[in-house]
Amino acid sequence: RAKASGGNRFELADAEADARAITRHGLTTALPTALERGEFFIEYQPLVHLGDGSVRGAEALVRWLHPQHGVLGPDRFIPLAEHTGLIVPLGRWVLEQSVRQARAWRERHEEAGPLRINVNLSPCQLTHPGLVQDTVDILERAGVEPDALCLEVTESALIGADDDLLKPLRRLAEMGVDIALDDFGTGYSNLANLRRLPVSVLKLDRSFTQSMQQFPADPVDLKIVEGIVSLAHSLDLAVTVEGVETGAQAEQLRILGCDTAQGWYYARPGPPERLHELALVDATG
Ligand code: C2E
Ligand code: MG
Ligand code: MG
Ligand code: MG
């Protein structure tokens, strides 16, 4: 009996693996037409200043409205797009849309200060030779200053990065584009390496925010975050925290000296109109 049910479990596992592989294959082949047909859309999640609760900008997060499967999150298709190279035109599209959106916000909300847009970059986009020129063209076409843009690169994408890989990021940083190190603290964070990277923002991974669940949080985690924040500030880097879901987390992270926060406590990712509303009011109010 045990053997038989064990066998069934394996068959079931195989069937699930097959189904996943079929979906993956189906999604991969559908990606190029999806871009042509305009099935991708972007949601924006506000970045909120921890000190005064004001909205300082938003991160652009891409979604796919698939005709059969409904809305798919980036974790479902970004790896496939990276694998096939479609990430380059898709990433360019995300950048163009987001930069245009930044212009619209800046025009409508001058009183809110210079709102910024954060856009995620894949490792493949980093090594693509057109990155700098594409970015310059997109900013010019939209009539947007480079300081309205922050490009997010994961720490793991820059692990062991040589100067060739860093060159385009340096050029962008010199132009005034901010570079953020995304999901910081999840990889083998090489703190000494930070000085070498042209980054101006550290985005502390959600796992740190989660460990701030209790108030007061675990003393060791507090020390770690405190250490990262003080190192970041001494290197002139701003610290953004991801995944803030409760007021207690926000308060703890504010006390620890983090500058900006992002998370469901303030707002879920949503359509661009949401940000017009949020920019006008205190995000926590
Ligand atoms: P990320 O850049 O670290 O983005 C933050 C993720 O955390 C987003 O997931 C966001 O919806 C989610 N999040 C925000 N606040 C909270 C919270 O309070 N609690 C929890 N549990 N989650 C929260 P999402 O939208 O599924 O994106 C996943 C990842 O996909 C992103 O992680 C980013 O690495 C990637 N991604 C998204 N858009 C793009 C894009 O246009 N290009 C590339 N290359 N990657 C993208
Ligand atoms: Mg990001
Ligand atoms: Mg992140
Ligand atoms: Mg993350």
Side-chain angles (χ1 to χ4, degrees):
R1 226 191 79 105
K3 210 174 176 183
S5 75
N8 285 340
R9 255 203 307 277
F10 280 121
E11 278 164 32
L12 192 65
D14 281 350
E16 278 172 7
D18 282 350
R20 272 200 303 272
I22 291 165
T23 318
R24 241 188 345 257
H25 177 75
L27 292 181
T28 305
T29 50
L31 274 169
T33 27
L35 188 56
E36 286 164 26
R37 288 185 187 154
E39 292 173 2
F40 294 103
F41 65 101
I42 300 174
E43 288 193 318
Y44 298 89
Q45 187 177 36
L47 289 151
V48 177
H49 187 71
L50 274 166
D52 63 13
S54 63
V55 174
R56 296 298 170 96
E59 178 173 7
L61 297 158
V62 68
R63 279 91 179 81
W64 179 3
L65 180 55
H66 189 284
Q68 277 95 49
H69 304 296
V71 175
L72 302 177
D75 293 335
R76 291 287 300 280
F77 61 85
I78 291 288
L80 308 176
E82 286 174 341
H83 194 69
T84 57
L86 194 85
I87 192 67
V88 172
L90 176 59
R92 209 186 285 129
W93 179 83
V94 171
L95 187 62
E96 176 121 48
Q97 297 300 309
S98 308
V99 162
R100 282 201 210 148
Q101 191 57 59
R103 162 149 192 159
W105 282 322
R106 284 195 162 194
E107 278 177 352
R108 261 178 74 172
H109 300 290
E110 279 172 54
E111 77 292 347
L115 294 175
R116 285 201 314 181
I117 192 85
N118 285 35
V119 178
N120 293 285
L121 274 195
S122 280
C124 321
Q125 291 173 271
L126 268 185
T127 49
H128 184 78
L131 175 67
V132 175
Q133 195 55 51
D134 286 348
T135 307
V136 171
D137 291 347
I138 285 171
L139 288 168
E140 276 181 10
R141 269 204 297 276
V144 167
E145 296 300 318
D147 70 357
L149 177 64
C150 177
L151 295 173
E152 299 193 1
V153 184
T154 60
E155 194 188 4
S156 53
L158 296 184
I159 289 256
D162 58 14
D163 274 336
D164 280 347
L165 189 75
L166 295 178
K167 211 178 277 169
L169 284 185
R170 285 219 176 87
R171 292 224 6 232
L172 290 164
E174 280 159 17
M175 282 164 40
V177 173
D178 271 307
I179 312 290
L181 211 48
D182 205 354
D183 302 339
F184 184 80
T186 50
Y188 293 94
S189 309
N190 182 345
L191 298 178
N193 196 30
L194 271 180
R195 300 177 51 194
R196 221 167 56 82
L197 303 176
V199 297
S200 49
V201 181
L202 277 195
K203 287 194 83 173
L204 211 54
D205 191 65
R206 190 158 64 86
S207 50
F208 291 104
T209 310
Q210 277 169 333
S211 70
M212 302 292 134
Q213 204 74 267
Q214 288 94 31
F215 191 92
D218 180 83
V220 176
D221 287 331
L222 286 178
K223 285 281 172 217
I224 293 173
V225 175
E226 217 174 5
I228 293 176
V229 170
S230 96
L231 176 82
H233 286 167
S234 71
L235 293 170
D236 273 332
L237 306 178
V239 179
T240 298
V241 286
E242 301 184 320
V244 175
E245 293 178 359
T246 67
Q249 290 172 334
E251 179 58 8
Q252 189 70 263
L253 291 158
R254 186 190 64 77
I255 292 169
L256 287 168
C258 299
D259 303 290
T260 318
Q262 183 181 352
W264 299 344
Y265 173 61
Y266 302 101
R268 302 236 171 188
E273 305 83 68
R274 275 294 316 276
L275 219 79
H276 284 302
E277 300 159 22
L278 289 166
L280 296 173
V281 294
D282 184 305
T284 55

